[in-house]
Amino acid sequence: MDANVVAELEKAGVKVEDPMRLFIPVERDEQGQVKPVGDEVPVRFGDVTAHVRLQPIAALWTGNKQPPDFTRPPFPEYEPFFFLVEATAAGFCRDTRHAEVDQEFSQLYRHLARRPDGHHKNPLFSYLRAAARLYLSLRDVSQAEFEAVAQRLHQSAKLHAGHIGSTNYFQSVLRQVLGA
């Protein structure tokens, strides 16, 4: 958890007690191209967008709590974490008008689990990483919990893959997050 980020967001009018009401909005450059998210991260809460500087994921891990078995839901304690990442993914696809294929989502989540502070050629990765960094800035999460959540997201996208080019994960999971 990062008390400075919590204070900055609250000062901007962002209610941090419910991470399920937050997401990382897509930002574009002057030419209209999607800007990857760096250290300065936009956070949307309703009509309010605040920009905060987030630490790397590895600097935000707290404690050594072990995650539950994520093979069978429910896992309500972790629902806000999943929701924040998936709401950001869904919003990215909506704003770019491009539903990533299941295999790409699977790869991005796997990359997030293995190299959480790394980079990827797909700008969506920077948004997924930013959502995770935001959540870890708001709540205490151990490395094991983070890796388990990222691995579960990877498995979810992988299980939805019906064929090359399928968008079942977006259609079945992410559209529900958007309420569409």
Side-chain angles (χ1 to χ4, degrees):
M1 188 170 134
D2 186 336
N4 292 329
V5 169
V6 171
E8 282 182 54
L9 289 172
E10 287 177 339
K11 183 179 176 184
V14 175
K15 301 207 183 301
V16 298
E17 60 274 355
D18 186 5
M20 291 178 67
R21 296 182 61 202
L22 308 176
F23 74 99
I24 309 299
V26 172
E27 291 193 322
R28 297 180 183 276
D29 62 20
E30 300 79 32
Q31 290 78 33
Q33 299 297 315
V34 172
K35 289 176 23 179
V37 179
D39 291 334
E40 193 77 20
V41 176
V43 177
R44 174 86 41 90
F45 170 74
D47 293 336
V48 175
T49 301
H51 287 78
V52 291
R53 181 167 287 284
L54 299 179
Q55 296 181 49
I57 288 174
L60 293 166
W61 288 322
T62 306
N64 57 3
K65 184 176 177 186
Q66 294 302 303
D69 177 11
F70 282 136
T71 57
R72 289 182 292 164
F75 19 87
E77 179 183 347
Y78 295 89
E79 194 172 292
F81 192 176
F82 285 105
F83 191 87
L84 178 54
V85 173
E86 291 184 322
T88 297
F92 184 92
C93 291
R94 179 196 59 219
D95 290 351
T96 61
R97 293 187 170 101
H98 174 73
E100 292 288 350
V101 297
D102 303 328
Q103 289 176 329
E104 183 70 4
F105 270 116
S106 177
Q107 180 196 36
L108 292 171
Y109 290 138
R110 184 171 174 227
H111 193 75
L112 184 64
R114 289 183 169 185
R115 294 177 190 88
D117 290 318
H119 297 279
H120 194 278
K121 64 182 181 209
N122 187 331
L124 173 55
F125 179 78
S126 70
Y127 286 82
L128 299 174
R129 186 182 66 217
R133 290 167 59 205
L134 175 60
Y135 188 82
L136 271 68
S137 296
L138 303 177
R139 302 286 186 271
D140 289 336
V141 178
S142 70
Q143 180 177 356
E145 290 174 297
F146 168 80
E147 290 172 352
V149 166
Q151 185 62 30
R152 176 66 174 132
L153 288 164
H154 160 70
Q155 288 297 324
S156 180
K158 186 176 178 180
L159 289 172
H160 280 86
H163 55 80
I164 294 175
S166 69
T167 59
N168 296 334
Y169 176 71
F170 176 79
Q171 298 297 330
S172 299
V173 178
L174 298 183
R175 288 187 83 182
Q176 289 179 6
V177 170
L178 288 174

